Amino acid sequence: MAEQLIGELKSSPVVSRCSTNPVLSAKDIPYPSALIFNAGVTKFHNRYVMTFTNDYGSLKDERIEGTNIGLAYSNDGEKWDVQPEPCFKLETDELTRAYDPRLTMIEDRCYMCFAVHSRHGIRCGIAVTDNFINFEFVSLSVPDNRNIVLFPEKINNMYFRLERPFPVYGRNEVERFDIWISESPDLRYWGNSDLLLGVEDVPFSNLKIGPGAPPIKTEKGWLTTFHAVDLDPSRGKNGWEDIWNKRYTAGIMLLDLENPRKIIGLYDQPLIVPETSYETGGCYRNDVIFPTGMILENTGEVKIYYGAGDTTICLALADVNDLISLCLNGNTL
Ligand code: BMA
């Protein structure tokens, strides 16, 4: 059972929302689309590239029929040119849905991590591409696992990833899920797994947490977002489903540059909380902020992309030093 209720939360004042939010929604998509959300974003050949979850069906009748992954390019990270066709879809007897893509450039190639529904549980895939047309499978986890994000470079000669297995028997409570870290010599074989952050150490979650956008490298450490969920059983219908009593917020933490298994700063309050009309109403699931992309510009500006309400893609902006201060000094900024 959920522990204490979390109550009211507020976004950090260091974050501002892009004035053109949502930066992408179903009306911008030139093929069947009802909900688009949870987008991987990175810089690729001097442009920004985005891959995003596209649930198609009927927005009007609140019906989803299937999922593919769409592709968009941008020159400024804000205005997006959606490509005429989706770029990725999984449909085999065993694997039925790929979604929640995250993008990481490593050694000049673009890696896409994604969640996969299979007939035998939820798995995490990693594929690599040089053109967003052909994708080569690199690895697929065992169930149940979701939200894999890759670090953009080797650390002490190993690749690292954050991930979120979901133990259903061993944790003694329903949906009590944590963030883990693993390493690999080749991005294919993963091991040396450790708990990175337990949900009990996040004061604004009473349920589960998971990795957000792939970490970015700063002078002070690896800066990375995560999603944090709180449950309030008194919440009722809050979107398409009969009952949606969860809220998703975005948190932020800083990991040691040389040893990313070590958290050197964790902001004890959420960074982004559902607050605007496009986050709190009219969504498939209202009150969901799901960060999946983060870009550090030369100016020190950080672009944070997040899915809003599992319905649109939004952008938030912050200064990298402010984000680092939040992690190191908590609420005393
Ligand atoms: C998670 C995933 C995400 C989704 C989130 C909120 O479990 O399914 O795709 O954004 O829930 O509904």
Side-chain angles (χ1 to χ4, degrees), residues 127-176:
V128 62
T129 185
D130 298 309
N131 52 21
F132 292 91
I133 300 166
N134 306 309
F135 289 85
E136 199 183 299
F137 265 93
V138 179
S139 92
L140 202 51
S141 76
V142 292
D144 274 343
N145 202 343
R146 193 147 55 190
N147 305 305
I148 282 183
V149 300
L150 295 174
F151 287 70
E153 60 187 64
K154 280 184 170 173
I155 304 161
N156 295 321
N157 219 25
M158 294 297 263
Y159 297 101
F160 279 83
R161 75 183 188 189
L162 306 181
E163 58 193 310
R164 214 288 302 279
F166 27 134
V168 288
Y169 291 123
R171 198 77 168 80
N172 288 336
E173 285 165 284
V174 181
E175 278 199 292
R176 238 16 218 156

Short mmCIF file of all heavy atoms in Angstrom, two decimals, residues 127-176:
data_model
loop_
_atom_site.label_atom_id
_atom_site.label_comp_id
_atom_site.label_asym_id
_atom_site.label_seq_id
_atom_site.Cartn_x
_atom_site.Cartn_y
_atom_site.Cartn_z
N ALA A 127 18.68 -0.27 -29.62
CA ALA A 127 18.99 -0.41 -31.05
C ALA A 127 19.92 0.75 -31.43
O ALA A 127 19.97 1.76 -30.73
CB ALA A 127 17.72 -0.36 -31.87
N VAL A 128 20.63 0.58 -32.52
CA VAL A 128 21.54 1.65 -32.96
C VAL A 128 21.23 2.00 -34.41
O VAL A 128 20.84 1.14 -35.20
CB VAL A 128 23.02 1.25 -32.76
CG1 VAL A 128 23.40 0.03 -33.58
CG2 VAL A 128 23.96 2.42 -33.04
N THR A 129 21.35 3.29 -34.74
CA THR A 129 21.09 3.72 -36.11
C THR A 129 22.07 4.81 -36.53
O THR A 129 22.58 5.56 -35.68
CB THR A 129 19.64 4.23 -36.27
OG1 THR A 129 19.39 4.52 -37.65
CG2 THR A 129 19.37 5.47 -35.44
N ASP A 130 22.29 4.90 -37.84
CA ASP A 130 23.11 5.99 -38.38
C ASP A 130 22.28 6.91 -39.25
O ASP A 130 22.78 7.90 -39.77
CB ASP A 130 24.27 5.41 -39.20
CG ASP A 130 25.18 4.55 -38.33
OD1 ASP A 130 25.58 5.05 -37.27
OD2 ASP A 130 25.42 3.38 -38.69
N ASN A 131 20.98 6.56 -39.45
CA ASN A 131 20.17 7.34 -40.38
C ASN A 131 18.68 7.40 -40.01
O ASN A 131 17.89 8.00 -40.72
CB ASN A 131 20.30 6.76 -41.79
CG ASN A 131 20.04 5.27 -41.79
OD1 ASN A 131 19.38 4.74 -40.89
ND2 ASN A 131 20.54 4.58 -42.79
N PHE A 132 18.26 6.76 -38.96
CA PHE A 132 16.86 6.70 -38.53
C PHE A 132 15.96 5.99 -39.55
O PHE A 132 14.76 6.12 -39.53
CB PHE A 132 16.31 8.08 -38.14
CG PHE A 132 16.98 8.57 -36.88
CD1 PHE A 132 18.15 9.34 -36.96
CD2 PHE A 132 16.51 8.21 -35.64
CE1 PHE A 132 18.80 9.74 -35.81
CE2 PHE A 132 17.16 8.60 -34.48
CZ PHE A 132 18.30 9.38 -34.56
N ILE A 133 16.62 5.23 -40.45
CA ILE A 133 15.87 4.38 -41.38
C ILE A 133 16.11 2.92 -40.99
O ILE A 133 15.19 2.16 -40.77
CB ILE A 133 16.31 4.64 -42.84
CG1 ILE A 133 16.05 6.11 -43.21
CG2 ILE A 133 15.58 3.70 -43.81
CD1 ILE A 133 16.73 6.55 -44.48
N ASN A 134 17.39 2.58 -40.88
CA ASN A 134 17.74 1.22 -40.47
C ASN A 134 18.18 1.23 -39.02
O ASN A 134 19.04 2.03 -38.63
CB ASN A 134 18.90 0.69 -41.33
CG ASN A 134 18.57 0.80 -42.79
OD1 ASN A 134 17.51 0.38 -43.22
ND2 ASN A 134 19.46 1.42 -43.55
N PHE A 135 17.59 0.32 -38.25
CA PHE A 135 17.98 0.17 -36.84
C PHE A 135 18.51 -1.26 -36.65
O PHE A 135 17.91 -2.22 -37.15
CB PHE A 135 16.76 0.36 -35.92
CG PHE A 135 16.28 1.78 -35.84
CD1 PHE A 135 15.40 2.30 -36.80
CD2 PHE A 135 16.68 2.61 -34.80
CE1 PHE A 135 14.94 3.60 -36.72
CE2 PHE A 135 16.23 3.92 -34.71
CZ PHE A 135 15.35 4.42 -35.68
N GLU A 136 19.61 -1.37 -35.93
CA GLU A 136 20.22 -2.67 -35.68
C GLU A 136 20.00 -2.98 -34.19
O GLU A 136 20.30 -2.14 -33.33
CB GLU A 136 21.71 -2.42 -35.92
CG GLU A 136 22.63 -3.52 -36.18
CD GLU A 136 24.03 -2.85 -36.30
OE1 GLU A 136 24.24 -1.99 -37.20
OE2 GLU A 136 24.87 -3.16 -35.44
N PHE A 137 19.46 -4.14 -33.87
CA PHE A 137 19.25 -4.50 -32.46
C PHE A 137 20.58 -4.74 -31.77
O PHE A 137 21.44 -5.42 -32.31
CB PHE A 137 18.40 -5.76 -32.35
CG PHE A 137 16.95 -5.43 -32.16
CD1 PHE A 137 16.10 -5.33 -33.24
CD2 PHE A 137 16.44 -5.20 -30.89
CE1 PHE A 137 14.78 -4.99 -33.08
CE2 PHE A 137 15.12 -4.86 -30.70
CZ PHE A 137 14.28 -4.76 -31.80
N VAL A 138 20.73 -4.20 -30.59
CA VAL A 138 21.95 -4.39 -29.82
C VAL A 138 21.69 -5.31 -28.64
O VAL A 138 22.46 -6.23 -28.36
CB VAL A 138 22.50 -3.03 -29.31
CG1 VAL A 138 23.75 -3.21 -28.49
CG2 VAL A 138 22.77 -2.09 -30.49
N SER A 139 20.59 -5.06 -27.92
CA SER A 139 20.28 -5.94 -26.79
C SER A 139 18.83 -5.80 -26.38
O SER A 139 18.17 -4.79 -26.68
CB SER A 139 21.21 -5.67 -25.61
OG SER A 139 20.66 -4.73 -24.73
N LEU A 140 18.33 -6.81 -25.72
CA LEU A 140 16.95 -6.82 -25.23
C LEU A 140 16.99 -7.46 -23.84
O LEU A 140 17.51 -8.58 -23.69
CB LEU A 140 16.11 -7.67 -26.21
CG LEU A 140 14.60 -7.49 -26.28
CD1 LEU A 140 14.21 -6.03 -26.44
CD2 LEU A 140 14.05 -8.31 -27.44
N SER A 141 16.47 -6.75 -22.84
CA SER A 141 16.57 -7.26 -21.46
C SER A 141 15.55 -8.37 -21.22
O SER A 141 14.61 -8.55 -21.99
CB SER A 141 16.28 -6.12 -20.48
OG SER A 141 14.89 -5.86 -20.44
N VAL A 142 15.69 -9.05 -20.11
CA VAL A 142 14.62 -9.96 -19.67
C VAL A 142 13.54 -9.11 -18.99
O VAL A 142 13.81 -8.00 -18.54
CB VAL A 142 15.14 -11.03 -18.68
CG1 VAL A 142 16.07 -11.99 -19.38
CG2 VAL A 142 15.82 -10.40 -17.48
N PRO A 143 12.29 -9.65 -18.91
CA PRO A 143 11.23 -8.91 -18.20
C PRO A 143 11.45 -9.01 -16.68
O PRO A 143 12.08 -9.94 -16.23
CB PRO A 143 9.96 -9.64 -18.58
CG PRO A 143 10.34 -10.77 -19.48
CD PRO A 143 11.81 -10.90 -19.49
N ASP A 144 10.82 -8.14 -15.86
CA ASP A 144 10.20 -6.90 -16.32
C ASP A 144 11.19 -5.77 -16.10
O ASP A 144 11.75 -5.65 -15.01
CB ASP A 144 8.94 -6.61 -15.50
CG ASP A 144 7.69 -7.29 -16.05
OD1 ASP A 144 7.70 -7.71 -17.19
OD2 ASP A 144 6.70 -7.38 -15.31
N ASN A 145 11.35 -4.94 -17.09
CA ASN A 145 12.30 -3.83 -17.00
C ASN A 145 11.78 -2.72 -17.91
O ASN A 145 11.16 -2.98 -18.93
CB ASN A 145 13.69 -4.31 -17.46
CG ASN A 145 14.80 -3.43 -16.92
OD1 ASN A 145 14.56 -2.31 -16.48
ND2 ASN A 145 16.03 -3.92 -16.98
N ARG A 146 12.03 -1.48 -17.50
CA ARG A 146 11.57 -0.35 -18.32
C ARG A 146 12.51 0.83 -18.07
O ARG A 146 13.24 0.84 -17.09
CB ARG A 146 10.13 0.00 -17.92
CG ARG A 146 9.48 0.92 -18.89
CD ARG A 146 7.99 0.73 -19.08
NE ARG A 146 7.21 0.79 -17.86
CZ ARG A 146 5.93 0.46 -17.83
NH1 ARG A 146 5.32 0.03 -18.90
NH2 ARG A 146 5.25 0.53 -16.71
N ASN A 147 12.49 1.79 -18.97
CA ASN A 147 13.20 3.07 -18.76
C ASN A 147 14.73 2.93 -18.73
O ASN A 147 15.39 3.43 -17.82
CB ASN A 147 12.75 3.74 -17.45
CG ASN A 147 11.27 3.95 -17.38
OD1 ASN A 147 10.68 4.56 -18.26
ND2 ASN A 147 10.64 3.42 -16.35
N ILE A 148 15.29 2.24 -19.70
CA ILE A 148 16.75 2.21 -19.80
C ILE A 148 17.24 3.52 -20.43
O ILE A 148 16.69 3.97 -21.44
CB ILE A 148 17.21 1.01 -20.65
CG1 ILE A 148 17.15 -0.26 -19.81
CG2 ILE A 148 18.63 1.22 -21.17
CD1 ILE A 148 17.65 -1.49 -20.53
N VAL A 149 18.26 4.12 -19.82
CA VAL A 149 18.93 5.29 -20.43
C VAL A 149 20.43 5.05 -20.41
O VAL A 149 20.98 4.57 -19.42
CB VAL A 149 18.56 6.63 -19.74
CG1 VAL A 149 17.07 6.88 -19.81
CG2 VAL A 149 19.02 6.69 -18.30
N LEU A 150 21.08 5.41 -21.52
CA LEU A 150 22.53 5.18 -21.64
C LEU A 150 23.30 6.45 -21.33
O LEU A 150 22.88 7.55 -21.71
CB LEU A 150 22.86 4.76 -23.07
CG LEU A 150 22.30 3.43 -23.56
CD1 LEU A 150 22.61 3.26 -25.05
CD2 LEU A 150 22.88 2.27 -22.76
N PHE A 151 24.46 6.31 -20.70
CA PHE A 151 25.40 7.42 -20.55
C PHE A 151 26.08 7.63 -21.91
O PHE A 151 26.33 6.66 -22.63
CB PHE A 151 26.44 7.10 -19.49
CG PHE A 151 25.91 7.16 -18.08
CD1 PHE A 151 25.02 6.22 -17.62
CD2 PHE A 151 26.32 8.16 -17.21
CE1 PHE A 151 24.52 6.27 -16.32
CE2 PHE A 151 25.84 8.22 -15.91
CZ PHE A 151 24.93 7.28 -15.46
N PRO A 152 26.43 8.88 -22.25
CA PRO A 152 26.91 9.16 -23.62
C PRO A 152 28.36 8.76 -23.88
O PRO A 152 28.82 8.92 -25.01
CB PRO A 152 26.74 10.68 -23.74
CG PRO A 152 26.76 11.19 -22.34
CD PRO A 152 26.19 10.10 -21.48
N GLU A 153 29.07 8.30 -22.87
CA GLU A 153 30.46 7.87 -23.13
C GLU A 153 30.86 6.80 -22.12
O GLU A 153 30.19 6.61 -21.10
CB GLU A 153 31.42 9.06 -23.02
CG GLU A 153 31.42 9.74 -21.69
CD GLU A 153 32.25 11.02 -21.68
OE1 GLU A 153 31.90 11.97 -22.41
OE2 GLU A 153 33.26 11.05 -20.96
N LYS A 154 31.97 6.13 -22.43
CA LYS A 154 32.49 5.13 -21.49
C LYS A 154 33.04 5.82 -20.25
O LYS A 154 33.60 6.92 -20.35
CB LYS A 154 33.62 4.34 -22.15
CG LYS A 154 33.17 3.25 -23.07
CD LYS A 154 34.40 2.49 -23.55
CE LYS A 154 34.01 1.24 -24.28
NZ LYS A 154 35.19 0.59 -24.88
N ILE A 155 32.92 5.17 -19.12
CA ILE A 155 33.51 5.67 -17.88
C ILE A 155 34.42 4.55 -17.38
O ILE A 155 33.95 3.42 -17.18
CB ILE A 155 32.41 6.00 -16.85
CG1 ILE A 155 31.40 6.99 -17.46
CG2 ILE A 155 33.01 6.53 -15.55
CD1 ILE A 155 30.07 7.05 -16.75
N ASN A 156 35.68 4.88 -17.20
CA ASN A 156 36.66 3.84 -16.84
C ASN A 156 36.53 2.61 -17.73
O ASN A 156 36.45 1.48 -17.27
CB ASN A 156 36.53 3.47 -15.36
CG ASN A 156 36.90 4.66 -14.50
OD1 ASN A 156 37.84 5.39 -14.82
ND2 ASN A 156 36.15 4.87 -13.43
N ASN A 157 36.41 2.90 -19.02
CA ASN A 157 36.39 1.84 -20.03
C ASN A 157 35.15 0.95 -20.07
O ASN A 157 35.16 -0.10 -20.70
CB ASN A 157 37.65 0.98 -19.90
CG ASN A 157 38.15 0.61 -21.26
OD1 ASN A 157 37.89 1.34 -22.24
ND2 ASN A 157 38.82 -0.53 -21.35
N MET A 158 34.10 1.37 -19.39
CA MET A 158 32.84 0.61 -19.45
C MET A 158 31.69 1.53 -19.83
O MET A 158 31.68 2.71 -19.49
CB MET A 158 32.52 -0.01 -18.09
CG MET A 158 33.49 -1.07 -17.64
SD MET A 158 33.52 -2.50 -18.75
CE MET A 158 32.44 -3.61 -17.90
N TYR A 159 30.70 0.98 -20.54
CA TYR A 159 29.46 1.71 -20.79
C TYR A 159 28.55 1.55 -19.56
O TYR A 159 28.60 0.52 -18.88
CB TYR A 159 28.73 1.14 -22.02
CG TYR A 159 29.51 1.28 -23.30
CD1 TYR A 159 30.22 0.20 -23.83
CD2 TYR A 159 29.55 2.49 -23.97
CE1 TYR A 159 30.95 0.32 -25.00
CE2 TYR A 159 30.27 2.62 -25.15
CZ TYR A 159 30.97 1.54 -25.65
OH TYR A 159 31.69 1.68 -26.82
N PHE A 160 27.73 2.57 -19.33
CA PHE A 160 26.81 2.51 -18.17
C PHE A 160 25.39 2.79 -18.62
O PHE A 160 25.15 3.53 -19.58
CB PHE A 160 27.22 3.54 -17.11
CG PHE A 160 28.35 3.05 -16.24
CD1 PHE A 160 29.66 3.16 -16.65
CD2 PHE A 160 28.08 2.45 -15.01
CE1 PHE A 160 30.70 2.68 -15.87
CE2 PHE A 160 29.12 1.98 -14.21
CZ PHE A 160 30.43 2.10 -14.64
N ARG A 161 24.44 2.22 -17.88
CA ARG A 161 23.04 2.56 -18.11
C ARG A 161 22.30 2.61 -16.77
O ARG A 161 22.69 1.95 -15.80
CB ARG A 161 22.37 1.54 -19.03
CG ARG A 161 22.03 0.20 -18.39
CD ARG A 161 21.42 -0.74 -19.43
NE ARG A 161 20.91 -1.96 -18.86
CZ ARG A 161 20.50 -3.01 -19.58
NH1 ARG A 161 20.56 -2.98 -20.90
NH2 ARG A 161 20.02 -4.09 -19.00
N LEU A 162 21.25 3.41 -16.74
CA LEU A 162 20.30 3.39 -15.63
C LEU A 162 19.09 2.61 -16.11
O LEU A 162 18.76 2.63 -17.30
CB LEU A 162 19.87 4.81 -15.24
CG LEU A 162 21.00 5.79 -14.91
CD1 LEU A 162 20.42 7.15 -14.52
CD2 LEU A 162 21.87 5.23 -13.79
N GLU A 163 18.42 1.96 -15.20
CA GLU A 163 17.28 1.14 -15.60
C GLU A 163 16.32 0.96 -14.45
O GLU A 163 16.63 1.29 -13.31
CB GLU A 163 17.75 -0.21 -16.13
CG GLU A 163 18.58 -1.01 -15.15
CD GLU A 163 19.27 -2.19 -15.84
OE1 GLU A 163 18.59 -2.93 -16.56
OE2 GLU A 163 20.48 -2.34 -15.65
N ARG A 164 15.16 0.41 -14.74
CA ARG A 164 14.13 0.28 -13.71
C ARG A 164 13.45 -1.08 -13.83
O ARG A 164 12.39 -1.24 -14.46
CB ARG A 164 13.12 1.41 -13.91
CG ARG A 164 12.49 1.96 -12.66
CD ARG A 164 11.52 1.04 -12.01
NE ARG A 164 10.44 0.69 -12.90
CZ ARG A 164 9.37 1.45 -13.15
NH1 ARG A 164 9.21 2.59 -12.53
NH2 ARG A 164 8.44 1.04 -14.01
N PRO A 165 14.10 -2.10 -13.20
CA PRO A 165 13.41 -3.38 -13.12
C PRO A 165 12.18 -3.23 -12.23
O PRO A 165 12.13 -2.31 -11.42
CB PRO A 165 14.46 -4.30 -12.46
CG PRO A 165 15.40 -3.39 -11.77
CD PRO A 165 15.37 -2.07 -12.48
N PHE A 166 11.19 -4.07 -12.40
CA PHE A 166 10.07 -3.94 -11.44
C PHE A 166 9.72 -5.25 -10.75
O PHE A 166 8.93 -6.04 -11.24
CB PHE A 166 8.84 -3.23 -11.96
CG PHE A 166 8.46 -3.20 -13.40
CD1 PHE A 166 7.13 -3.45 -13.72
CD2 PHE A 166 9.32 -2.84 -14.42
CE1 PHE A 166 6.69 -3.35 -15.03
CE2 PHE A 166 8.90 -2.75 -15.72
CZ PHE A 166 7.59 -3.01 -16.02
N PRO A 167 10.32 -5.39 -9.56
CA PRO A 167 10.09 -6.60 -8.77
C PRO A 167 8.67 -6.65 -8.21
O PRO A 167 8.24 -5.71 -7.56
CB PRO A 167 11.10 -6.48 -7.63
CG PRO A 167 11.37 -5.02 -7.51
CD PRO A 167 11.19 -4.43 -8.87
N VAL A 168 7.94 -7.74 -8.47
CA VAL A 168 6.56 -7.78 -7.96
C VAL A 168 6.41 -8.66 -6.72
O VAL A 168 5.50 -8.46 -5.94
CB VAL A 168 5.53 -8.21 -9.02
CG1 VAL A 168 5.34 -7.13 -10.04
CG2 VAL A 168 5.94 -9.50 -9.68
N TYR A 169 7.30 -9.63 -6.52
CA TYR A 169 7.18 -10.46 -5.31
C TYR A 169 8.15 -10.00 -4.23
O TYR A 169 7.82 -9.90 -3.07
CB TYR A 169 7.47 -11.93 -5.64
CG TYR A 169 6.41 -12.57 -6.48
CD1 TYR A 169 6.71 -13.16 -7.70
CD2 TYR A 169 5.08 -12.58 -6.04
CE1 TYR A 169 5.72 -13.74 -8.47
CE2 TYR A 169 4.09 -13.16 -6.81
CZ TYR A 169 4.42 -13.74 -8.02
OH TYR A 169 3.43 -14.31 -8.78
N GLY A 170 9.39 -9.71 -4.65
CA GLY A 170 10.47 -9.54 -3.68
C GLY A 170 10.43 -8.23 -2.91
O GLY A 170 11.15 -8.08 -1.91
N ARG A 171 9.65 -7.29 -3.32
CA ARG A 171 9.69 -5.96 -2.71
C ARG A 171 8.63 -5.83 -1.61
O ARG A 171 8.57 -4.82 -0.92
CB ARG A 171 9.50 -4.91 -3.82
CG ARG A 171 9.90 -3.52 -3.50
CD ARG A 171 11.39 -3.30 -3.55
NE ARG A 171 11.67 -1.87 -3.51
CZ ARG A 171 11.66 -1.14 -2.40
NH1 ARG A 171 11.42 -1.70 -1.25
NH2 ARG A 171 11.90 0.15 -2.46
N ASN A 172 7.76 -6.84 -1.51
CA ASN A 172 6.74 -6.91 -0.46
C ASN A 172 5.67 -5.83 -0.52
O ASN A 172 4.82 -5.79 0.33
CB ASN A 172 7.37 -6.88 0.94
CG ASN A 172 8.07 -8.19 1.22
OD1 ASN A 172 7.72 -9.20 0.63
ND2 ASN A 172 9.04 -8.17 2.10
N GLU A 173 5.76 -4.94 -1.45
CA GLU A 173 4.72 -3.94 -1.60
C GLU A 173 4.44 -3.83 -3.09
O GLU A 173 5.33 -4.03 -3.90
CB GLU A 173 5.19 -2.57 -1.10
CG GLU A 173 5.23 -2.46 0.41
CD GLU A 173 6.04 -1.25 0.82
OE1 GLU A 173 7.28 -1.32 0.75
OE2 GLU A 173 5.44 -0.24 1.18
N VAL A 174 3.23 -3.45 -3.43
CA VAL A 174 2.88 -3.37 -4.85
C VAL A 174 3.49 -2.11 -5.44
O VAL A 174 3.44 -1.04 -4.83
CB VAL A 174 1.34 -3.34 -5.00
CG1 VAL A 174 0.95 -3.29 -6.47
CG2 VAL A 174 0.73 -4.55 -4.33
N GLU A 175 4.11 -2.20 -6.63
CA GLU A 175 4.63 -1.04 -7.37
C GLU A 175 5.59 -0.18 -6.57
O GLU A 175 5.51 1.04 -6.59
CB GLU A 175 3.46 -0.17 -7.87
CG GLU A 175 2.84 -0.68 -9.15
CD GLU A 175 2.04 0.39 -9.87
OE1 GLU A 175 1.00 0.80 -9.34
OE2 GLU A 175 2.47 0.81 -10.95
N ARG A 176 6.50 -0.81 -5.81
CA ARG A 176 7.55 -0.07 -5.11
C ARG A 176 8.81 -0.27 -5.95
O ARG A 176 9.53 -1.25 -5.78
CB ARG A 176 7.74 -0.76 -3.78
CG ARG A 176 7.60 -0.11 -2.45
CD ARG A 176 6.99 1.13 -2.18
NE ARG A 176 7.80 1.76 -1.14
CZ ARG A 176 7.85 3.04 -0.92
NH1 ARG A 176 7.18 3.87 -1.66
NH2 ARG A 176 8.59 3.52 0.03
#
